[in-house]
Amino acid sequence: MERTLSRFEKSHGRTEVEIRKRILQAIFEQRLPPGEKITEEQLATTFDVSRTVVRQAMARLAQDGILVKSPNIGSTIAAPTKKEARDILAVRRMVEPDIVRILASAPSRQDLIVRLDQHLAREDEARYTKSRGTQVGLSGEFHLLLAEMAGNRILVRLMNQLQALTCLAILLYAGRDEACPPEEHSRIVRAIAEGDHAAAEKEMLSHLRHVEQDMNLERGVDTASFTASIEWLRGHATAANEKG
Ligand SMILES: [Zn+2]
């Protein structure tokens, strides 16, 4: 518990939304690994809020599949299986090319480009000066920024969920747990700047393919998640007891 507590800065009187954002940020920066146990009590102490507020934040994260609640274990950070990781990337391939197509067709896209270029500069800077957690966090933020710019709140919520689950899957399966290749983000931004929506879609699609390839999702046996393993063990023990 100490280990997890130290991953959040001590903060006071946070709202449900802020707590949820902090937990998501911790996942984006790979400070909260898949399978990590989280309790209401621990979060209430860390954020100095009532357990009711914490419960609301945790319920919403559970709805989005980012926290997994199990009767005997409590709440743990999701540990996507390989099949789930493939499904997450499949949804991202359906959604994100469309996001960049919308942005490349936007009449006011020069303003968007200024913000995107600023973000790319932050990604670059982090590569030389900041921790890997910050790099990975910023590279995920690029995808969230695109969704936010498309001006659709449902899409932003969906992308937060998909990005968090992708980060967890990367920690579990990627051979090298690096941030997105920087030149690929840059190519996407250039295509948006040129208003070339076909190129923007193509670049995003190939970028997401690379993210998936790095996870080696086709190889080997699917490793059951931590939570699933414990549940299986418990179920197995129960079945054995019943037989005995
Ligand atoms: Zn990326």
Side-chain angles (χ1 to χ4, degrees):
M1 191 180 284
E2 279 301 309
R3 205 158 55 90
T4 306
L5 281 176
S6 66
R7 288 174 192 160
F8 298 104
E9 284 165 33
K10 181 81 178 169
S11 49
H12 301 278
R14 300 250 169 194
T15 65
E16 175 256 325
V17 176
E18 286 169 331
I19 293 171
R20 192 155 38 80
K21 280 190 179 164
R22 292 294 295 274
I23 294 174
L24 283 174
Q25 193 62 37
I27 293 173
F28 295 150
E29 295 189 4
Q30 303 190 332
R31 294 173 201 281
L32 272 178
E36 181 91 357
K37 196 170 180 240
I38 292 225
T39 69
E40 277 177 23
E41 195 186 7
Q42 177 191 18
L43 292 181
T45 311
T46 308
F47 293 114
D48 197 17
V49 291
S50 71
R51 285 174 76 151
T52 312
V53 174
V54 164
R55 207 169 295 139
Q56 286 167 351
M58 288 175 81
R60 169 81 177 265
L61 289 167
Q63 267 176 23
D64 285 350
I66 292 157
L67 273 186
V68 179
K69 288 186 176 178
S70 317
N72 298 318
I73 304 167
S75 296
T76 49
I77 299 291
T81 62
K82 284 191 174 184
K83 162 81 168 76
E84 284 165 345
R86 284 196 298 269
D87 289 348
I88 292 158
L89 263 302
V91 176
R92 290 187 62 168
R93 282 197 303 273
M94 290 173 204
V95 171
E96 292 190 74
D98 215 44
I99 293 177
V100 292
R101 185 186 55 76
I102 291 167
L103 297 180
S105 316
S108 60
R109 65 177 183 282
Q110 285 324 311
D111 299 339
L112 305 182
I113 296 305
V114 172
R115 280 179 70 194
L116 286 168
D117 278 339
Q118 281 167 352
H119 185 88
L120 292 182
R122 282 174 69 206
E123 281 191 49
D124 263 350
E125 193 211 334
R127 203 156 290 114
Y128 299 107
T129 57
K130 301 281 197 298
S131 69
R132 204 178 47 77
T134 311
Q135 282 177 44
V136 177
L138 280 171
S139 112
E141 233 176 75
F142 173 76
H143 292 263
L144 298 174
L145 182 60
L146 293 173
E148 197 187 293
M149 285 175 163
N152 179 331
R153 286 176 61 196
I154 308 290
L155 200 55
V156 172
R157 178 173 173 180
L158 177 68
M159 276 310 301
N160 265 291
Q161 177 189 15
L162 293 170
Q163 187 62 42
L165 292 170
T166 305
C167 286
L168 295 167
I170 285 173
L171 271 182
L172 285 167
Y173 305 117
R176 52 179 184 93
D177 50 353
E178 280 173 18
C180 294
E183 66 285 359
E184 295 189 1
H185 281 185
S186 175
R187 279 205 292 268
I188 292 167
V189 173
R190 295 284 65 84
I192 295 173
E194 284 158 20
D196 189 342
H197 56 85
E201 280 180 79
K202 195 171 140 260
E203 292 293 352
M204 178 57 88
L205 208 51
S206 80
H207 175 53
L208 292 173
R209 289 228 164 82
H210 291 160
V211 172
E212 180 161 355
Q213 277 162 15
D214 280 351
M215 281 197 263
N216 305 312
L217 297 174
E218 306 303 329
R219 272 185 239 160
V221 188
D222 200 350
T223 320
S225 70
F226 167 80
T227 315
S229 313
I230 297 291
E231 284 197 323
W232 182 87
L233 286 168
R234 283 183 194 279
H236 200 68
T238 312
N241 286 343
E242 278 165 5
K243 268 187 205 162

